[in-house]
Amino acid sequence: EALAFWRWAAGYYHHPVGDALLGAMPVLLRRGAAESGLLQRLWRLTPQGCSADPAVLARAPRQAAVWRVLREAPEGWTREDLIEQCGDCAAALRALLARGWLERAPLVAVEAGAARAAAADALALNPDQQAAVDEVGASFGRFEVFLLDGVTGSGKTEVYLRLIGQALERAAQVLFLVPEIGLTPQLIRRLQRRLGMPFGVLHSGLSDGERARTWLQARDGVLPLVVGTRSAVFVPLPRLGLILVDEEHDLSFKQQEGFRYHARDLAVWRGRQRGCPVVLGSATPALETLHNAAMGRYRVLRLPHRAGAAQPPQLDLIDIRSQPLRAGLSAVLQRLVQVELTAGNQVLLFLNRRGFAPVVTCHDCGWISACPHCDARLTLHQGSQRLWCHHCGHQRPAPVQCPDCGRRDLRALGQGTERLETELGALYPGVPLARIDRDSTRRKGELDRLVTAARSGEYRILLGTQMLAKGHHFPDLTLVGILDLDQGLFGADYRAPERMAQILIQVAGRAGRADKVGRVLLQTRHPEHPLLLTLIRQGYGAFAAAALRERQQAGLPPFAAQALLRAEAVQPEPPAEFLRRAVEAAAPWCSPDLALWGPVPAPMERRAGRYRAHLLAQAAGRPALQTFLEHWVPEIHRLPGARGVRWSLDVDPQELL
Ligand code: ADP
Ligand code: ZN
Ligand code: ZN
């Protein structure tokens, strides 16, 4: 079954089947490591350990912690699970083993553990949640796709937890796909608390051994649940009975290099193959998904209200045309931030640009900090005193004098989170501020530490990029200020407005999640923009409907299907020449239903020292596109020049970059 699935996926994306297959497998298994050495066992208490008197451990708090955790879990926990819950407990495990309180046990299959799918600290579902659980629950054992369209904070995770519990009662395995940024220690802890049994976690940060072990245990039907980022969609699960995709709109489900698959779309196909329900959850569903729902292919389950007592936040625009800004904030926003801080609340400021300033220029001669390898500017990072290219990674020390004219009047233009951090420190002196972006969270565990401290109220101002947008729950947060999203209104990519709206709603969703009412202010230079107004006044649903109408009029996906052929080389001519030949090769199969656009230079023509060009194939629908690709792709492989360029095909491209 797994093999059939992988072959289908390789075929759909027209990717070499061997590469797709090997990519779906953990490195160690690919290299032929022995399975027996990888399979891991559980730690559990012996009968002696169960009846022991914990008072003996009064002076050994780690051992006591391990004992308490194992006391609640008769089947036991893996070593990783114990470390997650008790900290570094290697020595404690050895000591408990020496006491004869502890033993190794093999992992047990799903049935044995199922009864414990605990209701511990389960919330009483509200009627919308209950209806969603009932509808999906009634479809166990057959294929059906559900769109769980629930506003931020509506309790989607609670619905997933109930469904996982129901699946486990039927001894079925569950595949739970989450975006990269959604796989947080908080989520893992919540699942551990509620399930009370071992489950598998798959993400890019695992060691090869951990990954292989989880994969094998899933394949053996031993793990009841696998939670993972996009590549987890390929894990073999012999008893698969339910697939959940959280934040289904998230771009991280699309692999952007090598085997360019979309895990959400593959999850739907896998549910069809397996005959099990698939739940796609989001507060801001992708336009494709909404279109599928409108066509009757997916059933919609709505959670229109926030769970518990929380109210939806109020959204407003601030026109910043010709307004003076301080630390990126207009006067209105500065005042409102001050009000919330005085009231002891928390404020989140969002800017999707890291670093200090996006460009450095010489005030005398006009030199700018351009990347030598890309059509892009170098970003100044003040902390490290370096100029960095965010596209190819090139970096160099920040100059103190102009490389062209030698004078010293260099100026950093524009704003990144690093600069805002400094300026906000001056504007709100003494107010504890946490900056959360890729730079400030590079160290392992740092994001978890910052978020936990922010939740507990240690920081009053949270400043960050997209990293702050998803999943986090800050009870004291009452005001969200979005400093700049305007580039999303006019991006080169026709999906730019959709992404802008998703970020806006997700960030806005951080405000007022507990008993305090939230407010969201969006600074813009385009307060009259129709899509923006629809979004602010009528919400994401109305925005999506309007955006879908525009797509339909323009004949763009989801009302058409696309594939993007990319080519790049050190010289500018070979990619264009290769793509021109690809156009010629397509001629016999072109039809009124199929159009080729290009070749054109990529929006960023030069990147990492290579010239890049594109050719877009667009068909009326997926079947027409697939038929065309079946003929065309073998021809591309045979083209003269195919070896002189790097080329790749992206079926259903998410970014036309
Ligand atoms: P979402 O995943 O939709 O953003 P969560 O499942 O994280 O929402 O729930 C948001 C908050 O609401 C959480 O603090 C959760 O504990 C709480 N919550 C969820 N369901 C209920 C419920 N039925 N009653 C009370 N509180 C709830
Ligand atoms: Zn100069
Ligand atoms: Zn570069």
Side-chain angles (χ1 to χ4, degrees), residues 17 64 106 108 158 169 212 217 241 375 396 406 516 524 547 562 574 576 626 631 635:
V17 67
V108 285
E158 202 55 39
E169 275 162 29
Q217 289 170 348
D375 295 329
R396 51 182 277 194
K516 297 180 177 174
T524 179
Q562 295 179 334
Q626 285 295 328
H631 294 297
E635 298 293 327

Side-chain angles (χ1 to χ4, degrees), residues 3-25 30 234 254-262 266 563-566 626 629-630 632-634 636-637 647-652:
L3 189 60
F5 172 64
W6 298 343
R7 293 180 94 124
W8 184 86
Y12 179 83
Y13 291 105
H14 297 268
H15 192 75
V17 67
D19 192 56
L21 247 99
L22 290 176
M25 238 185 263
R30 208 186 302 164
F234 294 112
K254 178 78 199 291
Q255 174 130 311
Q256 307 278 22
E257 58 191 23
F259 183 18
R260 292 172 166 78
Y261 63 91
H262 200 304
L266 286 181
L564 186 66
L565 182 62
R566 297 184 175 92
Q626 285 295 328
L629 293 177
E630 271 154 35
W632 189 41
V633 176
I636 298 173
H637 281 279
W647 66 271
S648 64
L649 184 74
D650 193 352
V651 178
D652 305 332

Side-chain angles (χ1 to χ4, degrees), residues 481-501:
I482 299 174
L483 304 190
D484 181 10
L485 271 183
D486 280 350
Q487 72 277 24
L489 293 170
F490 304 99
D493 195 319
Y494 67 87
R495 286 177 213 267
E498 177 184 358
R499 305 247 180 265
M500 185 270 314

Side-chain angles (χ1 to χ4, degrees), residues 32 36 51 124 131 135 155 162 174 244 248 272 289 321 332 334 419 441 509 523 597 644:
S36 54
S51 56
E135 283 220 37
R162 289 301 174 97
V174 180
L244 306 169
E248 62 85 31
R272 179 193 304 276
T289 303
R321 280 174 298 187
V332 180
Q334 288 170 39
R419 181 175 216 162
T441 57
Q523 299 193 142
W597 305 91

Side-chain angles (χ1 to χ4, degrees), residues 54-367:
V56 181
L57 303 177
R59 283 156 181 281
R62 265 291 144 74
Q63 289 182 53
V66 171
W67 184 85
R68 271 196 307 277
V69 167
L70 288 176
R71 190 62 222 250
E72 299 301 313
E75 294 87 22
W77 286 109
T78 65
R79 182 191 168 86
E80 281 77 17
D81 286 327
L82 284 169
I83 291 174
E84 175 74 42
Q85 295 176 76
C86 310
D88 179 9
C89 54
L93 288 175
R94 276 196 303 275
L96 287 168
L97 196 62
R99 285 177 197 274
W101 291 17
L102 208 59
E103 66 183 359
R104 296 282 230 162
L107 271 176
V108 285
V110 176
E111 289 104 325
R116 295 195 50 245
D121 72 46
L123 298 157
L125 296 183
N126 64 38
D128 295 320
Q129 288 173 314
Q130 189 64 54
V133 169
D134 291 345
E135 283 220 37
V136 179
S139 75
F140 275 117
R142 67 186 157 80
F143 171 63
E144 169 124 38
V145 184
F146 297 90
L147 166 59
L148 181 62
D149 184 350
V151 300
T152 52
S154 58
K156 294 184 288 297
T157 312
E158 202 55 39
V159 170
Y160 303 144
L161 286 166
R162 289 301 174 97
L163 290 171
I164 292 170
Q166 288 196 4
L168 300 194
E169 275 162 29
R170 305 168 136 252
Q173 287 178 298
V174 180
L175 175 63
F176 186 8
L177 298 177
V178 295
E180 260 154 35
I181 215 156
L183 194 57
T184 57
Q186 285 92 332
L187 175 69
I188 302 301
R189 283 196 287 267
R190 195 165 165 189
L191 286 166
Q192 273 168 343
R193 251 198 336 268
R194 288 290 289 279
L195 298 179
M197 63 166 82
F199 56 90
V201 182
L202 284 174
H203 57 84
S204 54
L206 293 180
S207 73
D208 290 346
E210 288 168 312
R211 172 176 292 277
R213 225 177 355 252
T214 303
W215 203 88
L216 288 171
Q217 289 170 348
R219 182 209 61 184
D220 290 344
V222 165
L223 287 177
L225 165 71
V226 172
V227 191
T229 49
R230 63 174 176 258
S231 66
V233 76
F234 294 112
V235 172
L237 294 158
R239 304 161 192 245
L240 180 63
L242 173 68
I243 303 177
L244 306 169
V245 184
D246 190 28
E247 310 285 3
E248 62 85 31
H249 65 277
D250 196 274
L251 199 53
S252 75
F253 287 122
K254 178 78 199 291
Q255 174 130 311
Q256 307 278 22
E257 58 191 23
F259 183 18
R260 292 172 166 78
Y261 63 91
H262 200 304
R264 179 243 291 142
D265 295 350
L266 286 181
V268 169
W269 200 85
R270 202 165 171 190
R272 179 193 304 276
Q273 178 199 35
R274 181 70 201 188
C276 77
V278 180
V279 180
L280 310 178
S282 178
T284 53
L287 295 188
E288 278 97 340
T289 303
L290 288 170
H291 180 63
N292 277 325
M295 302 305 287
R297 287 188 274 247
Y298 299 171
R299 214 149 95 212
V300 184
L301 309 168
R302 276 184 227 285
L303 306 179
H305 310 293
R306 286 190 158 183
Q311 295 296 306
Q314 183 196 335
L315 251 84
D316 290 297
L317 295 178
I318 302 180
D319 181 356
I320 54 165
R321 280 174 298 187
S322 69
Q323 295 282 317
L325 302 179
R326 271 188 76 192
L329 310 184
S330 58
V332 180
L333 192 50
Q334 288 170 39
R335 210 162 46 240
L336 290 170
V337 168
Q338 190 57 61
V339 169
E340 295 305 321
L341 292 176
T342 310
N345 293 324
Q346 235 170 4
V347 171
L348 187 157
L349 299 172
F350 177 85
L351 180 69
N352 217 7
R353 206 180 301 120
R354 65 197 171 90
F356 186 83
V359 64
V360 176
T361 183
C362 170
H363 195 60
D364 281 314
C365 76
W367 170 86

